């Protein structure tokens, strides 16, 4: 399958495995890339820039296919040496970076100098246009259905994708709530050049998370996610476990007096990491998207990518073309 995205990335298929905190290790990224899609290492999952450089080297030993690194630019309690992480990426020879959160503008000169293609994740048309103006090679347009941070506009992909496609010149990746080949066909019909999947890749054999988490995703419905941090205007979609439900209770009780300090211990990233590793679904906050309602299996990455492409092709050839007179 050839699109502007496969030409940009050098992959066989226009599918990207999105960056996921405490999930995007070399094991998953290399498996996705070997399957013909683009695997992505999550940069800030690594404790230091030096650790990231080592993780990139590990991935380079596990695949000879293109892969990228995610660099999420968000406010943090402890300052993050973003410049050092960016330098670790370019000095390791990585040529594709997925940025998210704040604008990648401060790092564009460095990435351009080293020939790195930047795909910026956006939750709105206006942010997509800004990324294009900065020289990003592509944008990943993230609908409200997504896991992680969906922004504050609450626009779903059925509207967001065609709205962005209408005004963008650079390739557009559809992201958020996607996990089937039929959805991929729909995204292509709406103007996307490919898709980005996060939660779907969590429920694969190679995902380096506990089987309990994978089973929770498979067993969860589209209604089993929660939106946290809404009063703080830093909305995140997470799996609806006991911690998320308690956070929502505190947010309702606090009302306009809500402060992050009221929940900081409960939502600590370290607890989410333990939950993913040890399999206690209710130990901490961990992200999962509404697409979990469409996930009913735990295939290998190769099996998943192949099935997505097959279903996408069948949907176009049989369902869509078959509707024409």
């Amino acid at each position: 399958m050839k699109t502007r995205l496969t030409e940009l990335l050098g992959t066989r298929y226009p599918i990207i495995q999105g960056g996921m905190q405490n999930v995007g290790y070399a094991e998953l990224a290399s498996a996705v890339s070997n399957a013909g899609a683009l695997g992505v290492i999550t940069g800030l999952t690594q404790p230091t820039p030096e650790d990231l450089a080592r993780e990139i080297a590990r991935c380079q030993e596990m695949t000879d296919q293109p892969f990228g690194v995610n660099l999420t630019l968000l406010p943090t309690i402890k300052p993050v040496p973003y410049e050092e992480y960016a330098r670790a990426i370019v000095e390791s020879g990585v040529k594709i970076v997925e940025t998210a959160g704040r604008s990648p503008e401060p790092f564009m000169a460095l990435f351009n100098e080293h020939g790195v293609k930047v795909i910026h994740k956006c939750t709105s048309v206006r942010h997509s246009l800004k990324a294009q103006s900065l020289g990003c090679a592509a944008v990943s347009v993230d609908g409200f259905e997504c896991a992680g941070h969906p922004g504050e506009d609450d626009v779903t992909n059925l509207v967001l994708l065609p709205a962005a496609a209408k005004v963008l010149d650079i390739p557009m990746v559809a992201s958020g709530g996607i996990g089937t080949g039929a959805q991929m066909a729909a995204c292509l019909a709406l103007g996307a050049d490919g898709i980005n999947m996060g939660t779907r890749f969590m429920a694969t054999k190679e995902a380096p998370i506990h089987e309990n988490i994978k089973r929770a995703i498979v067993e969860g419905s589209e209604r089993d996610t929660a939106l946290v941090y809404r009063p703080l205007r830093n909305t995140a979609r997470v799996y609806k476990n006991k911690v998320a439900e308690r956070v929502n209770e505190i947010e309702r009780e606090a009302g306009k007096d809500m402060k992050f300090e009221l929940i900081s211990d409960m939502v600590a990233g370290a607890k989410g990491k333990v939950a993913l590793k040890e399999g206690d679904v209710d130990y901490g906050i961990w992200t999962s998207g509404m697409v979990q309602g469409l996930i009913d299996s735990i295939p290998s990455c190769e099996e998943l990518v192949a099935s997505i492409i097959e279903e996408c092709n069948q949907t176009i050839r049989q369902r869509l073309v078959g509707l024409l007179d």
Side-chain angles (χ1 to χ4, degrees):
M1 180 179 286
K2 292 184 179 180
T3 70
R4 291 194 298 171
L5 188 65
T6 58
E7 293 176 359
L8 177 71
L9 304 178
T11 56
R12 294 200 302 277
Y13 306 121
I15 299 174
I16 297 175
Q17 167 246 313
M20 295 174 282
Q21 186 72 355
N22 300 318
V23 180
Y25 292 93
E27 287 80 3
L28 179 59
S30 62
V32 172
S33 290
N34 286 333
L38 184 79
V40 175
I41 292 173
T42 307
L44 298 188
T45 289
Q46 299 301 316
T48 68
E50 292 76 21
D51 289 314
L52 175 56
R54 285 189 285 270
E55 190 71 5
I56 292 171
R58 280 210 314 132
C59 196
Q60 289 167 335
E61 294 175 354
M62 299 163 77
T63 183
D64 60 359
Q65 299 300 306
F67 67 89
V69 175
N70 166 278
L71 188 62
T72 297
L73 310 167
L74 289 173
T76 57
I77 297 174
K78 181 180 178 182
V80 175
Y82 286 115
E83 180 73 24
E84 294 177 28
Y85 276 95
R87 290 201 172 277
I89 292 170
V90 300
E91 290 173 2
S92 295
V94 172
K95 295 301 181 183
I96 303 165
V97 168
E98 176 192 62
T99 56
R102 290 178 172 174
S103 171
E105 185 172 8
F107 308 99
M108 291 302 294
L110 176 66
F111 290 144
N112 288 335
E113 178 186 348
H114 289 82
V116 175
K117 300 166 184 173
V118 177
I119 304 172
H120 188 57
K121 185 169 283 188
C122 308
T123 59
S124 68
V125 174
R126 63 187 184 279
H127 292 151
S128 300
L129 287 171
K130 177 63 175 178
Q132 177 175 270
S133 72
L134 293 176
C136 290
V139 289
S140 184
V141 178
D142 216 13
F144 183 58
E145 306 93 328
C146 71
H149 295 277
E152 308 301 322
D153 293 342
D154 299 359
V155 181
T156 63
N157 271 329
L158 195 61
V159 171
L160 185 59
L161 293 177
K166 187 165 59 175
V167 297
L168 288 170
D169 298 317
I170 59 176
M172 180 183 77
V173 184
S175 179
I178 304 165
T180 71
Q183 287 178 296
M184 181 178 181
C187 291
L188 295 175
L190 292 173
D193 297 284
I195 61 171
N196 178 299
M197 301 190 301
T199 302
R200 188 61 191 92
F201 278 116
M202 290 177 69
T204 58
K205 292 177 181 177
E206 294 91 346
I209 57 178
H210 200 280
E211 289 300 311
N212 289 354
I213 302 296
K214 299 178 186 182
R215 285 197 296 269
I217 292 172
V218 169
E219 294 168 4
S221 78
E222 65 276 9
R223 299 178 65 245
D224 292 322
T225 69
L227 294 173
V228 296
Y229 317 148
R230 294 231 90 178
L232 305 174
R233 294 195 61 78
N234 188 30
T235 302
R237 186 181 298 281
V238 301
Y239 185 82
K240 186 189 287 185
N241 60 12
K242 292 178 180 178
V243 179
E245 291 177 331
R246 179 54 186 150
V247 168
N248 283 161
E249 289 176 2
I250 293 172
E251 290 172 336
R252 287 192 296 269
E253 293 166 359
K256 64 180 181 180
D257 297 321
M258 179 63 196
K259 295 180 176 60
F260 182 70
E261 289 74 18
L262 297 175
I263 57 172
S264 58
D265 289 343
M266 300 170 58
V267 303
K271 289 187 175 180
K273 184 175 183 178
V274 170
L276 292 173
K277 183 178 180 180
E278 299 185 3
D280 185 343
V281 173
D282 292 308
Y283 186 75
I285 289 284
W286 51 277
T287 60
S288 187
M290 297 176 78
V291 70
Q292 65 185 15
L294 302 177
I295 298 173
D296 57 10
S297 63
I298 306 174
S300 69
C301 289
E302 183 175 3
E303 292 168 337
L304 175 60
V305 171
S307 68
I308 293 281
I309 295 299
E310 181 180 6
E311 184 183 12
C312 178
N313 287 334
Q314 288 181 349
T315 300
I316 294 170
R317 290 171 179 162
Q318 299 176 16
R319 170 67 178 166
L320 300 183
V321 174
L323 294 174
L324 300 176
D325 293 333

